[in-house]
Amino acid sequence: MINETSHFDSTADHSGTHNHRQRVVVTGIGAVTSLGLTVEESWQSLLTGRSGIGPITRFDSSILPVHIAGEVKGFQPETFMDRKEARRSSRAAQLVVAAVRMAIADAGLPEPLPCSDRVGTVVGTGAGGLEVADRELMTLRTRGFDRVSPFALTGFLANMPAYHVSLITGAHGPINTVVAACASGTQAISDAAELIRTGRADLVVAAGVEGLIDLTSIGSFARINALSTDNDDPAHACRPFDRTRNGTVLSEGSGALILERLDHALARNATIYGEVLGYASSSDAYHITAPDPQAGGMVRSMRWALQDAGVQPEQVDYINAHGTGTPLNDSLETLAIKKVFGEAAYRIPVSSSKAVLGHALGGTGAIEAIFCLLSMRDSVVPPTWNYTEADPECDLDYVPNQPRPALLNVVVSNSFAMGGFFCCLFLFFA
């Protein structure tokens, strides 16, 4: 149980000096993923290896080399939004509203949230409602201006998911949309925590979301050879850290977390999943898609987050890797972990959720942060499914194909993105 004193020294900044800052805890979680329509369903699927990856049904993929994705099956947006509003909204907006409403209920809070001026909103997304823009542009070109929806603009703008979240929560505090491709969800949690640390909010709704199972998105990723083309075996197409890995699999989904100042959460006797202990981001400034061959950006984000959390490498109990299943990412992430954690790297279990979850881009970091919190809650390390052949360049403990019981107090979640954007998050449980 987290209390006022049960934590590592979480007051160190990047220079090693100390300051007084508010402690930030997670009191509510919600998720809609390819693995399930709730947090617990998604979590059990991850532990049992029930893959969320299958044939694409949301559009005709016959002109593409890729026919598989991690779709959210059976999702009914009308359960969480007014039917008319749902029709006018992007898939991302629909998914994030569902995840946030689950998180609010899980935190035992009402809608709208009380003390609204002290409630913030931070939502991360890679592309927002890109599918709306794609659809309406096609309408404009083939059917004419008069047939374009008047809700096209508010459907595709990247900040609209954050608008919908602030609307249902009644949050009047700071609001932001993080657009950092695959690192958006993790950066959203970091930015939300910073609002509380610095006293600008008492509670912040943090979320990550993506809803891009569409022709343009899948086609674009396929064009740069980032996706697996193992269409005949969807459940085993994504193989993080495995020698035979040949690409990731795109998915959709959203994860939402309610972050609170510790004393605020204790005052209302809230259930606490864990503490946001530290975080950092860095840039490669190297290449638009390929990481620095020396893993410089990855190393900096992890090293700075380690310092921000105020822990030593040997105190880390588990790393939830970005682990996309692409040849470059997995070998360089392995290299970065070894550079940051030294000999301790070989002791720390490392696993990737994406083997069964797929890669939900802006939603992934928030979903995986939730998985980290549940790992600590249930004292179990989720495995890297589909791992069968060792790669000499990936020589860490990837927890292959079976959950592992373990007492976890400090866990790390990595999220790396195109454009050389790297984000690392440290979470604590006691």
Side-chain angles (χ1 to χ4, degrees):
M1 176 67 182
I2 288 180
N3 55 46
E4 294 285 1
T5 59
S6 64
H7 70 302
F8 288 105
D9 178 7
S10 60
T11 59
D13 65 19
H14 293 169
S15 65
T17 61
H18 295 263
N19 53 42
H20 298 288
R21 66 192 189 193
Q22 300 291 342
R23 292 173 61 190
V24 182
V25 294
V26 181
T27 58
I29 52 178
V32 183
T33 78
S34 65
L35 296 175
L37 297 179
T38 66
V39 164
E40 293 299 338
E41 186 181 353
S42 299
W43 176 235
Q44 291 306 314
S45 294
L46 176 61
L47 293 181
T48 58
R50 188 192 70 79
S51 180
I53 298 168
I56 292 172
T57 64
R58 291 187 60 79
F59 69 95
D60 180 3
S61 65
S62 59
I63 65 171
L64 302 179
V66 174
H67 310 303
I68 56 175
E71 298 180 344
V72 175
K73 299 292 181 61
F75 176 64
Q76 299 294 329
E78 297 85 0
T79 304
F80 303 94
M81 304 175 72
D82 174 79
R83 183 181 298 272
K84 186 181 293 185
E85 192 68 30
R87 286 201 308 268
R88 297 170 176 175
S89 303
S90 68
R91 180 76 164 177
Q94 295 171 355
L95 292 169
V96 77
V97 165
V100 166
R101 288 207 138 130
M102 292 180 198
I104 291 171
D106 185 53
L109 292 165
E111 289 185 27
L113 295 171
C115 304
S116 61
D117 286 359
R118 298 291 298 169
V119 177
T121 306
V122 185
V123 175
T125 182
L130 178 63
E131 89 283 4
V132 176
D134 194 29
R135 181 187 70 221
E136 297 302 326
L137 281 171
M138 183 62 69
T139 298
L140 176 64
R141 289 166 178 160
T142 60
R143 302 174 65 190
F145 171 77
D146 290 340
R147 302 308 296 269
V148 174
S149 169
F151 302 102
L153 182 63
T154 54
F156 74 72
L157 287 174
N159 68 314
M160 284 301 112
Y163 155 76
H164 284 284
V165 170
S166 67
L167 183 67
I168 64 170
T169 61
H172 292 130
I175 185 169
N176 193 19
T177 296
V178 176
V179 181
C182 313
S184 301
T186 302
Q187 186 63 47
I189 297 170
S190 303
D191 288 359
E194 191 67 13
L195 290 175
I196 297 174
R197 273 187 177 184
T198 55
R200 286 174 284 170
D202 299 326
L203 183 151
V204 183
V205 180
V209 65
E210 214 71 77
L212 296 181
I213 306 303
D214 62 80
L215 182 64
T216 299
S217 301
I218 300 287
S220 298
F221 274 88
R223 191 67 183 85
I224 61 171
N225 299 316
L227 302 183
S228 173
T229 55
D230 291 345
N231 300 304
D232 295 333
D233 190 10
H236 300 94
C238 186
R239 300 182 291 277
F241 303 107
D242 189 271
R243 186 186 64 81
T244 67
R245 65 190 184 276
N246 64 1
T248 196
V249 177
L250 286 194
S251 65
E252 59 181 351
S254 179
L257 300 87
I258 304 300
L259 305 187
E260 288 188 62
R261 201 177 69 237
L262 175 60
D263 63 334
H264 187 273
L266 293 175
R268 67 179 191 89
N269 198 30
T271 297
I272 295 176
Y273 286 94
E275 180 173 356
V276 178
L277 202 59
Y279 41 83
S281 64
S282 70
S283 172
D284 246 359
Y286 175 77
H287 187 274
I288 196 166
T289 56
D292 169 11
Q294 298 305 311
M298 297 179 184
V299 168
R300 284 188 291 276
S301 65
M302 283 190 277
R303 186 167 287 155
W304 291 343
L306 187 74
Q307 294 170 0
D308 188 54
V311 303
Q312 298 301 312
E314 58 271 16
Q315 291 174 301
V316 172
D317 299 309
Y318 166 55
I319 298 173
N320 185 285
H322 189 56
T324 57
T326 55
L328 266 182
N329 175 90
D330 294 2
S331 59
L332 288 176
E333 186 170 11
T334 297
L335 174 63
I337 291 170
K338 290 190 288 189
K339 284 186 173 184
V340 172
F341 294 95
E343 287 303 313
Y346 292 94
R347 177 194 58 79
I348 302 170
V350 178
S351 70
S352 171
S353 311
K354 293 181 179 68
V356 290
L357 174 69
H359 192 352
L361 303 179
T364 297
I367 295 167
E368 291 177 342
I370 291 170
F371 288 158
C372 287
L373 292 166
L374 297 178
S375 297
M376 295 188 289
R377 182 196 70 179
D378 294 348
S379 299
V380 62
V381 178
T384 302
W385 296 101
N386 303 334
Y387 183 91
T388 58
E389 296 187 38
D391 181 344
E393 292 188 348
C394 299
D395 57 349
L396 299 177
D397 175 9
Y398 302 111
V399 197
N401 306 311
Q402 193 69 34
R404 181 183 301 168
L407 183 63
L408 306 175
N409 289 317
V410 178
V411 302
V412 177
S413 185
N414 283 335
S415 291
F416 306 145
M418 287 184 187
F421 191 107
F422 304 98
C423 191
C424 180
L425 179 69
F426 275 65
L427 298 165
F428 171 68
F429 178 85

